[in-house]
Amino acid sequence: MTSEAEIRTKSRPTCALCGREGEFLYLNQIDRMFGAPGEWNLKRCTNEQCLLVWLDPMPVEEDIGKAYARYYTHAPSGRARCRGVLNQIFLLMKREYLAEKYEYELSTGWLRIPWVGRLLRLFPSRRAEADGEVRFLDAVPHGRLLDIGCGSGDWLLSMRELGWDVTGVDPDDNAARVGRERGLNVNCGALEQQNFPNDSFDAVTLNHVIEHVPDPIGTLMECIRILKPGGKLVVFTPNWLSLGHQIYGEFWRGLEPPRHLHIFSFESLHGALGLAGFKRSFIFPWIATSMIYESYLLKRGWRGSVGEAHRHLLARLCARFFSAAERLLIKWNPSVADCVVAIAV
């Protein structure tokens, strides 16, 4: 007999992308962050042109929800107000930058100083924050946007303010309910269960979601079906070949068993998009300071939710130093970055 909390599993001996056998990368890993039950093995694809990592055995789909019982996306995070003169200056620069690069209209009441946005290019980390806030999406008048794995809808609210007609999907019923209470159109369940009509959306985003789905190729194929011709898909996901993983090993935040079912590299993400049918994709590195921050804490025995750890000064300094080093190194080797971004049309 199995206990009610236990997560049932099934064998996954071969790669979901190329079908090649895998070799063990880690054995008997536990959930160090949210205490999901079980021990987990990670395999690495032996095909050097693929390099996917996955769980074997893997949770059965009916039990995956048990791994999210204490997950941190259930409730709205709230919006921190920018305080201080310096933060207000950066906010003005960011708004002008988004208006110039992505053609978003600024809300009335803001003083327009167009050249100020160009100054943001002098601050690479701040500029990356601005790009990440809109996930590299150009403004589309009356455009329809779908965020898969939207949580309680914080990002959808910000994109609605920028003019998008937003829709969200999340498998967690509590998160979807909170999103609806905030006035958002959020559906509960997997993307494939929603039965959206063909050519429904101008943009679809998966921000740290593709690693959570049991059938990444099927999910990407569904994205193609519901995107309008010329529509854009944006994917953020951990890169297991990163420098951070090499240093922190089994404590690297991007592994996160048993919720991360498939962990990608530049090669495997490009291969997955091609198998799904995307003809054009652009893949590039993404610096994730929070991933190093939490990896540092995990290696030192930290347990608990993300929000409980944000006051650790030494971890914060380590993460900022590490991120600055990665920002220099990716000019020669993009795969050192802890995350990878794909934009596919």
Side-chain angles (χ1 to χ4, degrees), residues 59-336:
V60 299
E61 292 188 33
E62 295 81 4
D63 283 9
I64 286 177
K66 295 179 181 180
Y68 295 85
R70 298 170 57 192
Y71 207 48
Y72 62 87
T73 58
H74 292 181
S77 62
R79 299 190 190 186
R81 295 182 179 179
C82 293
R83 298 177 179 177
V85 175
L86 189 59
N87 279 330
Q88 290 296 326
I89 291 173
F90 275 119
L91 179 60
L92 175 61
M93 293 166 62
K94 181 188 75 173
R95 294 179 68 87
E96 291 290 352
Y97 173 81
L98 295 178
E100 179 181 350
K101 181 174 181 179
Y102 297 103
E103 299 184 349
Y104 285 105
E105 293 186 6
L106 299 183
S107 58
T108 57
W110 278 82
L111 178 66
R112 290 301 313 273
I113 312 176
W115 57 267
V116 168
R118 299 170 191 173
L119 295 177
L120 200 63
R121 300 178 187 277
L122 301 175
F123 305 92
S125 61
R126 292 281 189 165
R127 185 184 66 196
E129 286 177 15
D131 291 327
E133 283 187 22
V134 297
R135 299 182 189 170
F136 302 94
L137 292 176
D138 296 311
V140 177
H142 310 294
R144 296 196 66 204
L145 167 64
L146 174 67
D147 186 29
I148 303 169
C150 66
S152 55
D154 291 329
W155 185 69
L156 288 177
L157 286 172
S158 67
M159 295 304 283
R160 187 171 66 180
E161 290 179 359
L162 290 175
W164 286 91
D165 177 5
V166 299
T167 300
V169 172
D170 198 276
D172 180 65
D173 184 62
N174 290 327
R177 175 182 50 79
V178 172
R180 290 192 292 268
E181 289 173 353
R182 304 169 86 185
L184 294 168
N185 178 20
V186 178
N187 302 322
C188 184
L191 171 64
E192 293 83 350
Q193 297 172 332
Q194 306 308 313
N195 296 316
F196 291 119
N198 294 344
D199 306 338
S200 292
F201 298 98
D202 298 278
V204 174
T205 62
L206 298 96
N207 184 34
H208 290 274
V209 170
I210 194 67
E211 64 269 23
H212 293 263
V213 301
D215 180 12
I217 301 300
T219 297
L220 293 173
M221 291 176 66
E222 182 69 358
C223 290
I224 284 186
R225 187 186 68 79
I226 62 177
L227 275 168
K228 296 178 182 179
K232 185 178 290 185
L233 173 77
V234 183
V235 179
F236 288 72
T237 193
N239 166 36
W240 77 270
L241 286 176
S242 69
L243 180 61
H245 180 218
Q246 294 178 45
I247 291 176
Y248 288 100
E250 64 187 82
F251 300 98
W252 181 60
R253 173 67 173 84
L255 297 179
E256 200 181 321
R259 284 167 298 279
H260 288 186
L261 308 179
H262 302 91
I263 309 172
F264 293 81
S265 62
F266 280 66
E267 293 82 359
S268 54
L269 185 57
H270 184 269
L273 291 166
L275 287 170
F278 284 96
K279 303 302 182 185
R280 289 188 292 145
S281 60
F282 177 51
I283 298 180
F284 54 94
W286 185 252
I287 304 297
T289 304
S290 62
M291 191 166 291
I292 296 302
Y293 179 91
E294 291 163 23
S295 299
Y296 178 97
L297 293 173
L298 287 169
K299 193 164 186 177
R300 282 152 182 80
W302 166 67
R303 299 287 190 274
S305 69
V306 177
E308 295 170 355
H310 283 302
R311 296 183 180 180
H312 198 292
L313 179 59
L314 188 58
R316 189 179 303 170
L317 291 174
C318 174
R320 289 183 178 178
F321 174 80
F322 200 101
S323 296
E326 280 189 342
R327 205 172 299 280
L328 292 174
L329 291 172
I330 60 174
K331 297 178 181 179
W332 292 276
N333 182 9
S335 66
V336 302

Side-chain angles (χ1 to χ4, degrees), residues 23-95:
E23 59 185 13
F24 285 110
L25 185 64
Y26 296 111
L27 294 172
N28 304 321
Q29 294 296 292
I30 61 171
D31 180 10
R32 295 181 170 88
M33 298 193 67
F34 302 102
E39 293 186 346
W40 307 94
N41 305 326
L42 289 102
K43 276 187 173 178
R44 168 191 181 275
C45 183
T46 54
N47 179 0
E48 294 297 324
Q49 303 303 314
C50 177
L51 297 176
L52 182 71
V53 166
W54 68 93
L55 287 181
D56 181 27
M58 189 174 289
V60 299
E61 292 188 33
E62 295 81 4
D63 283 9
I64 286 177
K66 295 179 181 180
Y68 295 85
R70 298 170 57 192
Y71 207 48
Y72 62 87
T73 58
H74 292 181
S77 62
R79 299 190 190 186
R81 295 182 179 179
C82 293
R83 298 177 179 177
V85 175
L86 189 59
N87 279 330
Q88 290 296 326
I89 291 173
F90 275 119
L91 179 60
L92 175 61
M93 293 166 62
K94 181 188 75 173
R95 294 179 68 87

